[in-house]
Amino acid sequence: MKVKNLDFSDDPILLAPMAGVTDVGFRALASSFGADATVTEMLSARAMAHNPKKTEFLTLTTGEEKIKIAQVFGHEEDYMAKAVASPLLEKFDMFDINMGCPAPKIVKNGEGSALMDNLPLASKLITAVKNSTTKPVSVKFRKGKSTENYVEFGRMCQDCGADFVTFHARTVEQGYSGKADYEAIASLKAKLSIPVLGNGDVVDFASLQKMKETGVDGVMVGRGSMGRPWLFAQLKQNDIQIDKYKTVEKHIEILRQHFDENWLKLYIRKHFLWYACDIPLSTELRLKLATCNDIDECLALLKNALN
Ligand SMILES: Cc1cc2nc3c(=O)[nH]c(=O)nc-3n(C[C@H](O)[C@H](O)[C@H](O)COP(=O)(O)O)c2cc1C
């Protein structure tokens, strides 16, 4: 897949944006295992204008990432236009607009998935972003909010100049429950002329094949990679040695370069639990990870368990 000057691979697999998950370390790990592109956690266009410091830590990158995508959200054209022109996002290769987030605090502001019920505003926002940057712009959305209007919505994105779309084939109401609708993905792919990336429930090679049968131009992988950034190597059937412990160690090493140890101790707990998800651990040891007070102690615990 080629998008303007950006050469994604022939069968690109991207790391999906996940707030609270796809931090700078995790994006670097996913890239090292073969993710063709990574997307930041969603960035508020408004926050970027008023409190750029707060956004800065979400926009950290490493040399490891191949194609770097910053995802922005908002409901105001001027803020969205300013966000993609902001020096904070200069190092990113392209931008994605979040039009699928179902979180009530986002929806109540008319942002994220609320825009699927407001095509006139959604089109103004895409146009404002397109007019503010020469870099490619994509849009990520769902099946629909009050109606399943994903084809109409996809066409609107295309007409506004979106360079590709990513389709998470669940309704807003579904949240993350039920199964992603691969027939809907095939149907959207057949109707648009811009590339369509499929998203939802790709967790292993078999589910990747099912997704590919929809004819999509690429695939975005989210939850399946939590605690398993090496999934990208497995999906691509890259013949590389996977050292799970070294991977966790590298995650911590990158985060320690940027974050204070006290903040990190709290933040890393969920990642530790995801990393430990597939390994037999006593309740006592799992609790230690969940309440991490000493990162090195938890690392030692994982070293014994992962090897
Ligand atoms: C914890 C979490 C955070 C998420 N944050 C974002 C986000 O910031 N922006 C976005 O567009 N989607 C977000 N998503 C949705 C994912 O990008 C993806 O569309 C969804 O999880 C379905 O893909 P999957 O089945 O591969 O996980 C989030 C999902 C999860 C589980």
Side-chain angles (χ1 to χ4, degrees), residues 14-22 39-43 71 73 96-102 140-142 166-170 175-176 180 182 198-203 211 219-226 270 274:
L14 288 72
L15 172 65
M18 288 187 286
V21 182
T22 53
V39 193
T40 62
E41 306 173 49
M42 58 183 190
L43 312 168
Q71 189 191 58
F73 73 95
D96 181 69
I97 308 178
N98 180 328
M99 296 197 172
C101 179
K140 183 165 176 283
F141 60 88
R142 287 185 173 237
T166 302
F167 182 31
H168 175 198
R170 282 188 175 84
Y176 297 94
Y182 284 15
N199 173 233
D201 302 345
V202 171
V203 294
M211 176 63 92
V219 176
M220 211 179 244
V221 176
R223 292 163 301 163
S225 69
M226 282 155 68
K270 59 189 171 189
W274 290 324

Side-chain angles (χ1 to χ4, degrees), residues 1-8 67 93-95 129-138 161-164 195:
M1 182 174 91
K2 266 203 167 150
V3 179
K4 281 193 172 167
N5 58 326
L6 301 178
D7 196 356
F8 294 72
I67 295 178
D93 301 300
M94 61 169 286
F95 304 105
V129 169
K130 282 291 297 182
N131 288 340
S132 181
T133 179
T134 54
K135 293 176 183 174
V137 174
S138 59
D163 295 279
F164 69 79

Side-chain angles (χ1 to χ4, degrees), residues 41-297:
E41 306 173 49
M42 58 183 190
L43 312 168
S44 159
R46 215 170 222 276
M48 226 181 286
H50 294 295
N51 192 352
K53 273 267 159 236
K54 207 176 150 198
T55 308
E56 203 178 330
F57 78 100
L58 301 173
T59 62
L60 295 165
T61 55
T62 66
E64 200 89 53
E65 291 172 68
K66 288 163 203 151
I67 295 178
K68 300 185 287 290
I69 308 176
Q71 189 191 58
V72 291
F73 73 95
H75 66 282
E76 293 142 312
E77 291 160 73
D78 52 344
Y79 280 114
M80 292 292 276
K82 275 187 202 141
V84 296
S86 146
L88 212 54
L89 302 189
E90 207 177 331
K91 63 189 163 184
F92 288 91
D93 301 300
M94 61 169 286
F95 304 105
D96 181 69
I97 308 178
N98 180 328
M99 296 197 172
C101 179
K105 67 173 183 185
I106 304 292
V107 171
K108 83 170 167 24
N109 289 333
E111 304 169 334
S113 64
L115 291 161
M116 291 207 72
D117 273 350
N118 190 350
L119 270 73
L121 178 57
S123 67
K124 280 185 191 157
L125 295 173
I126 300 168
T127 306
V129 169
K130 282 291 297 182
N131 288 340
S132 181
T133 179
T134 54
K135 293 176 183 174
V137 174
S138 59
V139 182
K140 183 165 176 283
F141 60 88
R142 287 185 173 237
K143 258 174 99 177
K145 191 166 182 299
S146 55
T147 56
E148 295 192 4
N149 61 346
Y150 57 92
V151 171
E152 191 193 352
F153 200 84
R155 284 196 173 123
M156 177 277 295
C157 295
Q158 180 170 285
D159 292 345
C160 291
D163 295 279
F164 69 79
V165 294
T166 302
F167 182 31
H168 175 198
R170 282 188 175 84
T171 62
V172 175
E173 196 177 27
Q174 271 181 294
Y176 297 94
S177 67
K179 279 199 176 329
D181 181 350
Y182 284 15
E183 276 180 29
I185 294 177
S187 156
L188 183 69
K189 166 61 199 162
K191 289 180 176 99
L192 298 191
S193 54
I194 54 172
V196 173
L197 301 194
N199 173 233
D201 302 345
V202 171
V203 294
D204 54 20
F205 191 71
S207 46
L208 175 69
Q209 296 318 303
K210 277 196 165 174
M211 176 63 92
K212 282 187 177 174
E213 282 167 21
T214 64
V216 283
D217 302 274
V219 176
M220 211 179 244
V221 176
R223 292 163 301 163
S225 69
M226 282 155 68
R228 294 195 304 156
W230 44 81
L231 176 65
F232 292 93
Q234 295 163 341
L235 293 175
K236 294 201 152 216
Q237 300 202 302
N238 285 345
D239 189 20
I240 57 162
Q241 201 68 25
I242 297 171
D243 185 325
K244 295 182 180 176
Y245 174 70
K246 277 221 161 75
T247 304
V248 182
E249 214 181 28
K250 187 171 165 195
H251 195 174
I252 301 294
E253 193 186 301
I254 297 172
L255 293 177
R256 271 182 168 155
Q257 287 166 20
H258 301 285
F259 300 104
D260 153 72
E261 191 79 2
N262 281 328
W263 181 88
L264 196 52
K265 273 195 300 207
L266 301 178
Y267 171 74
I268 206 64
R269 292 171 177 177
K270 59 189 171 189
H271 281 284
F272 277 155
L273 287 174
W274 290 324
Y275 282 125
C277 205
D278 293 335
I279 49 179
L281 267 189
S282 69
T283 313
E284 186 195 347
L285 292 185
R286 219 170 272 281
L287 190 66
K288 236 187 184 17
L289 295 177
T291 56
C292 170
N293 255 322
D294 181 334
I295 293 178
D296 291 321
E297 187 191 1

